[in-house]
Amino acid sequence: MLPKAKLWLALTVAALTMLSTNLQAAWDLNMPQGVTQISRDTYDLHMQILWWCVAIGVVVFSVMIWSIVNHRKSKGAVPATFHESTKVEIVWTIIPFIILILMAVPATRVLTHAYDASESDLDIQITGYQWRWEYRYLRQNADEDEVSFFSNLSTSRDEINNTMPKQENYLLDVDNPLVIPINKKVRFLVTSNDVIHAWWVPDFAVKKDAIPGFINETWTIVEEPGVYRGQCAELCGIDHGFMPIVVHALPQDEYDAWYAGRQEQARAARAQANNVVTRDQAMATGEAIYNRTCVACHQAGGVGLAPAFPALAGSSVVNGDLTANIELVLHGVPGTAMASYARMLSPVELSGIVTYIRNSFGNSTGDLVQPADVNALLEAQ
Amino acid sequence: MSAAHDDHHHGPAKGLSRWLFTTNHKDIGTLYLWFSFAMFLLGGSFAMVIRAELFQPGLQLVEPNFFNQMTTMHGLIMVFGAVMPAFVGLANWMIPMMIGAPDMALPRMNNWSFWILPFAFAMLSSTLLMDAGAPNFGWTFYAPLSTTYAPETVTFFIFAVHIMGASSIMGAINIIATVLNMRAPGMTLMKMPLFVWTWLITAYLLIAVMPVLAGVVTMMLFDIHFGTSFFNAAGGGDPVLFQHVFWFFGHPEVYIMILPAFGVISAIIPTFARKRLFGYDSMVYATASIAFLSFIVWAHHMFTVGMPIAGELFFMYATMLIAVPTGVKVFNWVATMFRGSMTFETPMLFAIAFVVLFTMGGFTGLMLAITPADFQYHDTYFVVAHFHYVLVPGAVFSIMAATYYWLPKWTGHMYDERLGKLHFWLSFIGVNILFFPQHFLGLAGMPRRIPDYALQFADFNWISSIGGFLFGASQLILLVVVIKCIKGGKKATAQVWDGAKGLEWTVASPAPYHTFTTPPNPDLIEAP
Ligand SMILES: [Cu+2]
């Protein structure tokens, strides 16, 4: 075989293999119709305007192609001499204007509907962090147990780094999904703790920027139970591509059961807050937290990413005063990517992570931090 | 008088000093164009890194932080280093020859406005070699990601932007002064070629918005180094203010990159259709309307920030209105082709591709204007596809069309038509394979600016990457064509194209170092 032909064969085989491995992936071509009134209205609006554009395109490009085919010099075409017509200009100014009005009317109607966030059944505060979401269910009365939790990417770093096969919901899976009841008006109060993020679930047609210092309002009424996935839509730093959104929409009774379970967990966590942990427990908790929360910046092996993200291996803070180290994790370092973890992690998790970093990556302080130590510092505020 | 001696030599100086000290509009135009091409290759190589990483799901080649540096630098270099200087280069070369002027009105400032540019881009690019890495917050550099959370190199970025802004403002002042003061007798405003008209209006846009860009980066500088809180919510500032100020610059900036392209296309289509431009007056008014509207649509980039509904509606309606004058332009170009006598040399091929593909970018622009639909499109690959359709087969194709169109006038030789057509077809096919699938990616839910993606986006991504590599590699053909054309080739006549009209075609090819030292005969000046 000729070398060139061989190359083409190899390329074709490679392309075909790639095609077949991806066959199970859907060739999604269009916007999802979604599961809310707003998402269906938005889809209709999108299609309507798309067809207007197609129609205009067909007319304009037909004239153009017809001219290109027929009015060419090689066919002996003689150029006409006309070069202006006020009448024609007026016509093709007014017709597009009328089409625009036809587009603007339904768009205004859908927008007005989407902006009506009044009279909600349930309010959830969504806070963006680098690089996770926090969901806090606003209580009806103050003596209820509060349900609030963080939602982190649960796809493993091994899948991302291609050392493990990628699972079906690669990059679109979280440890704690947001859970909401169907057929209820759920209002989202969206804000951020650091940079601007955007909370987006295509199936709800809800996208709202999460802006530090501001609270944005949006809402949805999901009509079908199911699992809906989205992603952060506003560039928010290194792991912008790794902070997905997963929403479970449940029938009311299942939702109520889930909510009661969460309240129970909150009570249990409070009770556990002063438990004594063993070194092995603390190290295991810490390692899990590290790989989920810290590794993006401080990197595997605690080597950091100079100069923005300091190494933990051999760090003077991590090998220095224990209280100062805990305080730093609790409050973060203002003006840097180091966030405050006082609320993001539980006392058990905080004791684990500090124990872990002080006894890993070649650090060997031998310290074992107890949840009670963390609580003492938290209460001292 | 000491200048008396200089009056005797009319040719260029020799060696490097010719280029360093030149005040000749043609030399400066050449400098701008070569600089722009170098930046096009640099920004393009960053795009190749992006497309290579996105070829498959998973992280293969680069870390997410470096990926963000690539997207940021690609955008900054292409906008400020490739597209804008290319149009300034074309303006320098062509405007004096089109209006019968001997040179630009302010030749020394002209030299300065070019020569500060390499320093700005050297400073910006040098951040790639620094420990903290290059800017990684996107070319739109939203605060507080670009202030409180930015790498230290952001300060280099800020000063680079200041220098680029100064260069653009000087260039714009020069163009306005030239067009308003140096037109040959008989060259009335309504006889100016559309390229001159579109550039005159663009220059006003530049003077209006470049100071706004300088202002916003200065506010960042103060937030970062002097403890102010313009954009820091914790200090009582407003991160959304950044976006309002940025896009008040940013939207007119979009038209700064496309109005001169309209001018180029309005020159090329009549030449190769051998028929006068249809609706010259309406083209001028449409350009002015687009420029005016560009000042009142900026917040359509910000529909998801949580503006009150009155704001959302205002910016939606105003944005939709832009479709009217833009439509008028497209209709006029098609009407110019209609019943012409067309030939399809490379400039015409690029111009026709411009009309079709720019119009497609215009359609998606109209879709993006529809606020509720924008909630789904915003910050996805649909937006990426939209603005690349407007900027690559739009602005960049027009620059290539202009290069092929005027290359014989610049070099005195015809370029290799076969290579030119090859360049066109590979670019045309490549650009569509590259950007068309990105519409689908965006609609299916892929956010922009991510280094890795979910599995359902895999197919369109590798297709897009293949298109990207094809398009990227094809641009080297342009380099070959230009070098070959400078070195030799069939001698070009003064007229070059049999349908070409305008003063630039009345001077010899290559254009002498000094042209129109005496004004042209007013009878030669006819309405375009
Ligand atoms: Cu985010």
Side-chain angles (χ1 to χ4, degrees), chain A residues 268-290:
Chain A
R270 257 210 328 270
Q272 264 179 20
N274 284 314
N275 278 7
V276 175
V277 295
T278 67
R279 176 170 301 272
D280 287 349
Q281 284 170 334
M283 288 296 282
T285 312
E287 186 174 6
I289 302 286
Y290 187 84

Side-chain angles (χ1 to χ4, degrees), chain A residues 128-133 194-199 210 231-237 239-243:
Chain A
Y129 290 75
Q130 283 181 321
W131 292 275
R132 56 191 60 80
W133 297 97
D194 37 54
V195 299
I196 300 177
H197 305 264
W199 197 83
Q231 287 179 266
C232 175
E234 181 63 61
L235 177 63
C236 57
D239 273 358
H240 165 54
F242 305 93
M243 51 182 293

Side-chain angles (χ1 to χ4, degrees), chain A residues 167-187:
Chain A
Q167 291 170 18
E168 192 194 343
N169 290 313
Y170 176 67
L171 295 186
L172 296 178
D173 246 342
V174 296
D175 50 2
N176 293 306
L178 174 68
V179 179
I180 58 171
I182 56 166
N183 297 323
K184 285 283 157 68
K185 187 163 184 173
V186 182
R187 180 164 53 175

Side-chain angles (χ1 to χ4, degrees), chain B residues 26 93-94 97 403-414 485 492-497 503-512 515:
Chain B
K26 299 184 183 79
W93 249 106
M94 303 318 300
M97 290 208 289
T403 305
Y404 284 104
Y405 185 52
W406 284 311
L407 202 52
K409 181 55 65 187
W410 300 337
T411 64
H413 305 123
M414 298 307 287
C485 186
T493 60
Q495 175 74 12
V496 182
W497 312 108
L503 288 178
E504 78 263 39
W505 307 108
T506 63
V507 301
S509 301
T515 39

Side-chain angles (χ1 to χ4, degrees), chain B residues 1-157:
Chain B
M1 273 174 94
S2 61
H5 168 78
D6 292 339
D7 286 344
H8 293 288
H9 77 87
H10 290 283
K14 294 274 173 275
L16 192 64
S17 61
R18 165 179 178 182
W19 301 106
L20 273 177
F21 306 131
T22 183
T23 54
N24 180 288
H25 72 101
K26 299 184 183 79
D27 281 354
I28 293 173
T30 304
L31 285 171
Y32 265 111
L33 288 169
W34 276 112
F35 177 78
S36 150
F37 190 70
M39 289 296 117
F40 181 60
L41 294 184
L42 181 65
S45 65
F46 297 158
M48 294 300 107
V49 174
I50 294 170
R51 281 320 321 170
E53 177 56 54
L54 292 175
F55 189 68
Q56 281 189 311
L59 294 179
Q60 284 85 20
L61 303 170
V62 296
E63 289 296 320
N65 194 29
F66 190 71
F67 184 89
N68 289 346
Q69 295 175 29
M70 287 291 104
T71 55
T72 307
M73 294 293 277
H74 166 69
L76 290 170
I77 296 227
M78 287 306 200
V79 168
F80 295 104
V83 174
M84 291 171 69
F87 282 126
V88 181
L90 292 173
N92 258 294
W93 249 106
M94 303 318 300
I95 287 179
M97 290 208 289
M98 285 175 157
I99 61 173
D103 204 309
M104 296 292 281
L106 308 159
R108 282 169 199 274
M109 191 166 86
N110 205 12
N111 171 293
W112 186 235
S113 67
F114 170 76
W115 274 112
I116 58 177
L117 270 189
F119 293 94
F121 284 90
M123 194 195 297
L124 180 63
S125 307
S126 69
T127 57
L128 275 167
L129 309 172
M130 296 179 193
D131 281 346
N136 56 4
F137 30 67
W139 86 273
T140 51
F141 54 101
Y142 280 9
L145 188 64
S146 63
T147 53
T148 317
Y149 295 84
E152 286 161 351
T153 49
V154 64
T155 310
F156 288 97
F157 156 81

Side-chain angles (χ1 to χ4, degrees), chain B residues 64 115 208 238 298 345 348:
Chain B
W115 274 112
D238 180 352
W298 76 88
E345 290 85 345
M348 183 61 161

Side-chain angles (χ1 to χ4, degrees), chain A residues 190-195 210-216, chain B residues 232-234 236-240:
Chain A
V190 188
T191 185
S192 167
N193 185 56
D194 37 54
V195 299
I211 301 170
F214 291 79
I215 294 178
N216 271 330
Chain B
N232 178 7
D238 180 352
V240 180

